[in-house]
Amino acid sequence: MSKKKFEQKKKKNKDFSRDILVILQKNSGKSFSWKQIAEKLKATSTEMRNDIIASLARLVKQSHINETSQGHFQAQGATYYHQGVVDMASNGNAYVVCEDLDQDVFVPNNLLNKALHGDLVEVYVFPRRREKLEGEITQVIERKRTTFVGLVQMQKNFAFVVPTDRRMYTDIFVPKEDCNGAEDGDKVLVRITQWTSRANSPYGVVEKILGKPGEHNTEIHAILAEYGLPSEFPQEVEAYAQQLDTTIKEEEIARRRDMRGVLTFTIDPRDAKDFDDALSFRVLDDGNFEVGVHIADVSHYVQPGTILDDEAYQRATSVYLVDRVVPMLPEVLSNFACSLRPEEEKYTFSAIFELSPQAEVRNVWLGRTVIRSDARFAYEEAQAVIEAFDTPYMEVPSDFVIPEEISIRPEGSYTVSKEIVEAILSLNAMAEILREKRMRAGAISFDKLEVKFFLDENNNPLGVYTKESKEANKLIEEFMLLANRKVAEYASKLQKTFVYRIHDVPDEEKLLQMQGVISRFGYKLNLKDKKNISHSINHLLQEVHGKKEQNLVDTLAIRSMSKAAYSTHNIGHYGLAFADYTHFTSPIRRYPDVMVHRLLQLYLDAGASANEAEYEEKCKHSSQMENLATSAERDSIKYMQIKYMEAHKDQEFLGVISGVTEFGIYVEIIENKCEGMIRARDMKDDYYVFDEKAYALIGEVSKQRYTLGDEVMIRVKNTDLVKRYLDFELVN
């Protein structure tokens, strides 16, 4: 057969199955004759009509459609429609994630039908012709968001706002009268007002001018705006908070356990302003210890049904950016009334333990208290105390001095009383025992390095450093974990509605992927023994500690884990190896802790179980806001890394490949943890193909491989603060 005849034969045998199914499914319940279907498909030739008739016969035979009467056809009762959430790719195509489907549904850009990233949509899934599911979005059920950050392109009578989010595939048309003073080139927050069926771009209105792109405050406010996070409190909320009576009342003290006479102190980051937890310590007559975990009683001031509570709930969390904190509560509460500052009486909610010297819990008391903190320490200061002595039982001098270079005091070196030194050492000894017990029970120890910046007075980065958790950090961590666990255990036994912090088992597929990467470094996981996977992960984390690949392996291990979340349905916490766990210890910065305080007091007062559906909805909202805050925090670090690397263009650095995609390779600089991308199109020595299974880019001619975990020398090629790009190029 000649090539010409073969092409003609191909044209004659066109399969119209997909098009026919779309018509019938969109009009389910109706039947159509083959002529009506041909008309809808604009069949203008005999060959096309014959192909449509043949396609109809195939679909009937495959039971995809019914022939209701001779020559009339109708969709099967089984639906090809599903609901799901749009996950946009940067190339303009998307996937729809449906809970009732095993696979995500691929949707090309031309079949999105105005759906945007995160939208809840109805998707029609085409009959399977390939391994992957493909479909068309037929309806936007609910928009995820209507506000976007973008750059203004001003025309004579209108403007276009070009979104900075790469997943937003269309610009936004703004009439001149709706620009609200924005000028060409401004970075703004724009809200979509409508998107008609005939319009290529949605219509919008400029809600806020963020500033000139590239300026520090502009970019920080843009990060917050991109995630719908506020940068300031509404005036009415600030006014409400200011008029609160925050004085300590004798009648309120009478209703609480008075702990003001017990040695109490706080240990927090050096630059902290909101101290929401304190520890008290005293030795009991029988040699046991009384340890109090005292938490700011935020729920005393933040009452349900008030605008203050509504604002706190909507925010759900404080947001910690590199140069500032966006608090959940107004400053009058977060930094003053609720902050457990030294030498000030404060209302608290406490978990008070009787512990043996071997850290065995003999007794637990939960309830409202009043305290007076005797001292405030930075982690570095408490660490200096711990490192100065080998054991809590040795003789402690009465005039121990924290070195001047460690002290946070304006006057320099700081004298610590013998009583406080002995308390810190005893608490540290018990914390180490508690931690060891957790590890033996299967808890996973993530001591991931935290990237921090030295900033000047204008918030320019002077340097990058990593912060590692030491004994003083772990001391506080263990007693907060103990309080959270015991509060959750109390609520669990009551079998009443409560807010838990849950964490599911790891994703097995991600663990297998992780195994493939770490094997290149000579490490392995024992995935056969399901019960001891956590011990195997811990062993791996200990092996890589202090090595160049530590940050990469830590990141891979965290990615293999399920996400922790809030829920009224208690499934336990895998990562901590706790059957019952909650968040009780940080109500200044987390709304779930406020809910826990309220529920705990309700049940201590023998109240009835709270409404489960109401609290589950609040848990879901809190989890979503936590994820947004985490993303904003991550973006602010990325922004500051790019800003830092601007001053290091053309310098060479040793890095490790931290990610591989079809577009290029991500490299993390070992020295400062800054991560950038080497784009495949810039690798001119060969044409590189992405091998998904091997996590590698492989040269088609040279067979040169760039694989996850490989060390490479890079040079900073380009920095873009506006788009938050950091581009590297390979050296040699």
Side-chain angles (χ1 to χ4, degrees):
M1 184 184 290
S2 70
K3 182 178 179 182
K4 185 176 180 181
K5 285 183 179 178
F6 179 74
E7 292 295 331
Q8 287 174 344
K9 185 176 178 71
K10 269 195 352 180
K11 287 177 184 176
K12 286 179 183 177
N13 292 334
K14 182 175 179 181
D15 187 358
F16 284 94
S17 296
R18 178 180 292 182
D19 300 319
I20 292 167
L21 279 168
V22 169
I23 290 169
L24 295 182
Q25 285 287 347
K26 281 184 176 179
N27 298 275
S28 58
K30 292 183 181 180
S31 64
F32 293 84
S33 69
W34 72 264
K35 289 182 180 179
Q36 289 172 315
I37 293 170
E39 187 178 341
K40 284 181 176 293
L41 293 176
K42 298 179 181 177
T44 55
S45 66
T46 303
E47 289 82 7
M48 285 180 71
R49 286 193 288 272
N50 288 337
D51 288 342
I52 287 170
I53 292 168
S55 298
L56 284 164
R58 274 195 301 275
L59 288 169
V60 171
K61 189 176 181 180
Q62 294 165 357
S63 299
H64 288 313
I65 63 174
N66 292 325
E67 189 170 7
T68 56
S69 60
Q70 189 172 3
H72 287 76
F73 304 90
Q74 186 177 350
Q76 280 275 25
T79 182
Y80 288 86
Y81 289 92
H82 302 267
Q83 282 192 15
V85 176
V86 178
D87 184 9
M88 288 295 305
S90 56
N91 61 6
N93 299 322
Y95 288 87
V96 178
V97 183
C98 305
E99 287 187 5
D100 59 339
L101 293 175
D102 294 333
Q103 286 185 42
D104 297 340
V105 184
F106 174 76
V107 180
N109 182 266
N110 64 319
L111 297 180
L112 286 172
N113 293 321
K114 298 181 170 55
L116 303 174
H117 178 75
D119 288 351
L120 177 65
V121 299
E122 178 187 78
V123 60
Y124 170 75
V125 180
F126 300 133
R128 191 187 291 256
R129 297 171 65 185
R130 299 183 180 88
E131 285 188 13
K132 68 178 182 180
L133 296 179
E134 295 184 28
E136 176 183 2
I137 291 171
T138 53
Q139 182 186 353
V140 175
I141 299 169
E142 185 180 337
R143 287 277 185 213
K144 171 69 174 178
R145 56 187 291 202
T146 57
T147 57
F148 298 87
V149 172
L151 299 175
V152 175
Q153 291 183 350
M154 190 65 70
Q155 310 296 321
K156 185 178 180 181
N157 296 315
F158 61 88
F160 281 105
V161 175
V162 182
T164 53
D165 187 342
R166 282 168 280 176
R167 297 168 303 188
M168 180 60 172
Y169 56 86
T170 179
D171 49 21
I172 299 165
F173 176 86
V174 181
K176 192 171 185 179
E177 62 270 19
D178 290 331
C179 289
N180 292 325
E183 298 176 350
D184 188 59
D186 281 352
K187 191 168 247 189
V188 299
L189 180 67
V190 62
R191 177 171 54 84
I192 292 177
T193 54
Q194 62 172 326
W195 196 351
T196 61
S197 58
R198 293 184 179 181
N200 291 327
S201 298
Y203 281 67
V205 57
V206 172
E207 291 212 323
K208 189 175 183 180
I209 299 169
L210 299 171
K212 297 299 179 186
E215 293 180 358
H216 180 78
N217 274 330
T218 299
E219 297 305 326
I220 292 296
H221 283 120
I223 289 171
L224 292 169
E226 281 169 5
Y227 293 103
L229 300 171
S231 57
E232 55 193 21
F233 285 96
Q235 287 184 353
E236 61 270 22
V237 174
E238 284 280 12
Y240 182 91
Q242 289 291 341
Q243 59 84 36
L244 286 171
D245 184 357
T246 58
T247 58
I248 304 298
K249 306 286 189 186
E250 286 299 324
E251 58 268 27
E252 180 62 30
I253 290 175
R255 290 192 283 266
R256 296 168 177 263
R257 180 167 170 173
D258 193 342
M259 300 292 291
R260 289 176 294 178
V262 183
L263 175 69
T264 303
F265 51 89
T266 60
I267 304 176
D268 290 280
R270 185 190 295 266
D271 56 354
K273 294 177 182 175
D274 56 337
F275 314 135
D276 53 11
D277 58 81
L279 293 177
S280 67
F281 178 85
R282 63 179 163 191
V283 181
L284 301 174
D285 293 340
D286 60 1
N288 286 340
F289 302 117
E290 180 193 84
V291 179
V293 178
H294 306 288
I295 309 301
D297 190 358
V298 172
S299 62
H300 175 77
Y301 299 103
V302 182
Q303 293 292 322
T306 62
I307 58 170
L308 181 60
D309 184 53
D310 291 343
E311 182 72 16
Y313 169 69
Q314 289 303 325
R315 293 179 177 232
T317 180
S318 295
V319 185
Y320 292 83
L321 305 181
V322 287
D323 67 332
R324 70 193 70 189
V325 177
V326 182
M328 184 181 81
L329 299 172
E331 189 177 9
V332 67
L333 291 175
S334 60
N335 289 3
F336 295 97
C338 294
S339 187
L340 309 183
R341 307 196 305 175
E343 300 179 359
E344 292 181 8
E345 293 179 345
K346 299 289 180 181
Y347 296 142
T348 46
F349 216 132
S350 304
I352 299 174
F353 303 98
E354 182 184 340
L355 295 165
S356 73
Q358 290 73 42
E360 296 162 324
V361 179
R362 303 295 192 197
N363 190 34
V364 183
W365 181 90
L366 304 173
R368 282 185 151 131
T369 53
V370 60
I371 68 163
R372 185 180 186 277
S373 176
D374 297 287
R376 180 256 158 136
F377 295 95
Y379 282 120
E380 293 85 353
E381 292 176 323
Q383 187 64 30
V385 173
I386 292 167
E387 290 177 358
F389 303 96
D390 296 323
T391 168
Y393 308 112
M394 70 178 288
E395 185 62 30
V396 176
S398 59
D399 57 349
F400 176 75
V401 178
I402 291 178
E404 188 170 341
E405 64 271 16
I406 292 172
S407 178
I408 59 168
R409 318 295 156 174
E411 64 273 16
S413 59
Y414 178 68
T415 302
V416 183
S417 72
K418 179 179 179 178
E419 190 181 19
I420 288 181
V421 170
E422 289 176 337
I424 290 174
L425 296 176
S426 297
L427 288 167
N428 184 57
M430 287 187 285
E432 288 179 346
I433 296 170
L434 289 169
R435 183 177 176 82
E436 189 181 341
K437 284 181 182 176
R438 281 199 306 112
M439 294 300 109
R440 284 203 307 269
I444 299 173
S445 174
F446 287 113
D447 289 331
K448 194 173 186 299
L449 297 174
E450 196 177 347
V451 177
K452 295 284 187 179
F453 299 88
F454 295 111
L455 303 176
D456 66 14
E457 64 276 6
N458 297 314
N459 291 313
N460 294 309
L462 302 176
V464 184
Y465 67 99
T466 54
K467 192 174 178 182
E468 190 173 1
S469 184
K470 293 188 176 182
E471 286 90 346
N473 304 76
K474 292 172 183 176
L475 183 163
I476 295 299
E477 179 186 24
E478 287 306 321
F479 283 102
M480 297 307 116
L481 290 174
L482 180 63
N484 288 333
R485 177 160 62 97
K486 290 302 178 182
V487 168
E489 284 179 3
Y490 170 80
S492 181
K493 287 174 185 174
L494 295 175
Q495 296 186 326
K496 294 180 179 181
T497 298
F498 202 65
V499 173
Y500 296 96
R501 181 69 168 175
I502 61 169
H503 186 225
D504 209 345
V505 296
D507 185 305
E508 193 169 343
E509 188 177 332
K510 288 181 179 177
L511 285 173
L512 286 169
Q513 291 173 347
M514 178 181 167
Q515 174 68 71
V517 176
I518 64 173
S519 62
R520 297 190 180 92
F521 295 99
Y523 305 116
K524 64 179 181 180
L525 287 172
N526 179 9
L527 301 180
K528 292 180 181 178
D529 186 354
K530 304 291 184 187
K531 290 183 179 178
N532 290 312
I533 287 176
S534 58
H535 292 292
S536 183
I537 293 173
N538 270 337
H539 179 69
L540 168 68
L541 297 175
Q542 289 169 6
E543 279 191 291
V544 301
H545 186 76
K547 297 180 181 176
K548 65 180 185 298
E549 63 267 21
Q550 179 186 346
N551 210 37
L552 171 63
V553 175
D554 285 351
T555 301
L556 289 170
I558 290 170
R559 286 176 184 170
S560 73
M561 295 288 112
S562 301
K563 278 189 178 178
Y566 298 105
S567 178
T568 57
H569 308 296
N570 184 21
I571 62 168
H573 197 295
Y574 178 84
L576 295 172
F578 290 160
D580 306 292
Y581 189 64
T582 190
H583 272 171
F584 164 77
T585 53
S586 293
I588 290 177
R589 63 184 180 91
R590 295 188 304 225
Y591 193 80
D593 302 54
V594 179
M595 292 193 286
V596 164
H597 283 210
R598 288 173 181 165
L599 289 171
L600 179 57
Q601 188 60 54
L602 175 68
Y603 300 148
L604 288 171
D605 293 338
S609 183
N611 184 295
E612 184 180 306
E614 177 188 335
Y615 272 91
E616 184 61 28
E617 184 61 33
K618 289 179 177 179
C619 285
K620 185 178 178 182
H621 170 75
S622 297
S623 298
Q624 290 171 343
M625 294 307 295
E626 177 188 38
N627 292 335
L628 290 177
T630 300
S631 297
E633 290 161 16
R634 195 182 296 122
D635 280 6
S636 78
I637 292 170
K638 178 72 175 176
Y639 163 78
M640 199 59 78
Q641 287 176 327
I642 296 168
K643 198 170 186 179
Y644 174 72
M645 294 307 291
E646 274 189 325
H648 298 275
K649 283 184 179 179
D650 299 323
Q651 283 184 235
E652 295 180 7
F653 297 91
L654 180 64
V656 60
I657 295 177
S658 54
V660 184
T661 72
E662 58 186 308
F663 306 109
I665 55 180
Y666 288 95
V667 177
E668 182 183 88
I669 296 173
I670 294 172
E671 175 187 324
N672 56 36
K673 309 304 175 192
C674 294
E675 186 182 63
M677 189 181 204
I678 300 169
R679 301 184 185 277
R681 65 171 181 261
D682 293 335
M683 299 165 70
K684 305 292 188 185
D685 61 315
D686 204 339
Y687 178 76
Y688 286 88
V689 178
F690 177 49
D691 186 333
E692 191 173 0
K693 292 182 180 177
Y695 300 97
L697 281 185
I698 303 172
E700 207 167 58
V701 177
S702 64
K703 304 304 177 188
Q704 170 71 46
R705 298 171 67 92
Y706 292 100
T707 310
L708 206 62
D710 288 350
E711 284 189 355
V712 289
M713 287 297 296
I714 62 93
R715 185 185 295 113
V716 180
K717 179 187 178 186
N718 184 43
T719 59
D720 190 327
L721 286 173
V722 178
K723 295 179 180 177
R724 290 198 282 280
Y725 287 154
L726 179 55
D727 287 344
F728 295 155
E729 59 185 358
L730 286 167
V731 176
N732 299 326

